[in-house]
Structure formats: C-alpha cells, structure tokens
Amino acid sequence: MLETVGQRIKRLRKTKNWTQEQFAVRVNVSSQKVSNWERDYTPPSVEDVAKIAEICDTTSDFILTGRTEDQSSTEKKTANEGTSSSISELAKTISRAFHDFDSLPDDEKEFLLEELPETAKWKLEEFRKHKARVLEQNKKSGK
C-alpha cells in the first residue's frame, strides 16, 4: 500500500519527536489542521508543504510524492538554492493546473490527476465547469 501525504507528514513529525501541537506551532497552523492533514481529510497548502519540508529537512517532492533522489555532493551544495525555485515551480504548476488545465501537455495532466488528492480533483473539475459557464455567459453577452 502506498503511503499518503498525511502518513508522510505524520512520520516526519514523529521522527522529530514532536506532538501535533509542537509541530503546528513550527508550521504556524492549528493542531486541528495538522490532525486533518495526517488523517488525509484535507491537503496542506503549497506554503505549508514548503514550511514542513524546511523544518523536517526534506523536500516538497518527498512530502507530496514520497520520491527521493540521491544527491551528488554538487547537488547537495545547491539544494538550498533550488528549494525556493522548486517551491515556486510547484506553485506555478498547481496554479496552471487550476487555470489552464486543458492547455497542459497530456503527461502533466496525467501527473496532476494522479498526484492531487480526490478533493483537489473535485475542486479542479468544479472550477473548470464554472470557468466554462462564465466563458459561455460572456460569449452570449458579447464580452
């Protein structure tokens, strides 16, 4: 069975021997939010994933996908510089997913649909329907 984002967050927290309350203070969220993440009720925001990665000495990629990569000594040296860029790229990708999903290459669509939690997939579909309705209304009204 694959480990979920919530399970990875819980494992990272427990590795540091932090309670949910201690972890919440470090991430600057409520302990209820941490509990919801760990039970996979709600996904963490991009900003929260970045903060969790920072305080747990890991990557956003690991938190979201569980994937790790062995880094060479050169990569280790530039890892901190790349973290901001990776987070920025992740935020851009998520933003594009919600605003320009239909124009994404098929491999990006497939990746996003596999990785996004079910609630996010539902929200994406609702947003796409809403966007289509607005475009149709604008078309009818000549805007």
Side-chain angles (χ1 to χ4, degrees):
M1 184 169 137
L2 293 175
E3 188 177 44
T4 66
V5 171
Q7 290 167 335
R8 278 189 292 280
I9 290 171
K10 184 175 185 176
R11 182 163 49 93
L12 288 167
R13 175 180 63 79
K14 287 188 172 241
T15 299
K16 297 286 188 178
N17 294 315
W18 292 330
T19 65
Q20 285 184 340
E21 292 79 15
Q22 292 168 325
F23 187 74
V25 167
R26 286 170 171 83
V27 183
N28 197 28
V29 297
S30 69
S31 58
Q32 182 63 50
K33 194 173 252 193
V34 172
S35 174
N36 286 343
W37 295 339
E38 290 184 358
R39 293 178 292 150
D40 291 302
Y41 285 179
T42 57
S45 70
V46 172
E47 294 82 10
D48 292 335
V49 168
K51 184 65 177 174
I52 294 165
E54 178 185 332
I55 66 170
C56 292
D57 302 316
T58 189
T59 64
S60 302
D61 190 44
F62 173 75
I63 293 168
L64 295 172
T65 67
R67 283 183 245 147
T68 60
E69 288 185 25
D70 292 332
Q71 294 180 317
S72 68
S73 57
T74 305
E75 288 174 319
K76 286 180 183 176
K77 199 181 287 182
T78 59
N80 287 340
E81 296 166 9
T83 300
S84 296
S85 149
S86 297
I87 293 166
S88 176
E89 287 303 311
L90 178 61
K92 286 177 189 173
T93 300
I94 290 171
S95 178
R96 281 184 60 210
F98 282 96
H99 296 288
D100 300 315
F101 186 82
D102 292 326
S103 64
L104 290 173
D106 287 341
D107 60 333
E108 284 187 40
K109 286 181 192 176
E110 187 176 322
F111 171 79
L112 288 168
L113 291 173
E114 287 175 9
E115 297 299 326
L116 292 174
E118 289 300 315
T119 53
K121 289 181 196 176
W122 175 80
K123 281 288 197 189
L124 174 61
E125 188 58 34
E126 290 300 306
F127 179 82
R128 290 174 66 208
K129 288 176 185 174
H130 171 73
K131 185 176 175 183
R133 284 192 301 269
V134 169
L135 289 172
E136 186 62 32
Q137 289 172 348
N138 288 344
K139 194 186 236 183
K140 286 180 182 176
S141 65
K143 290 184 180 179

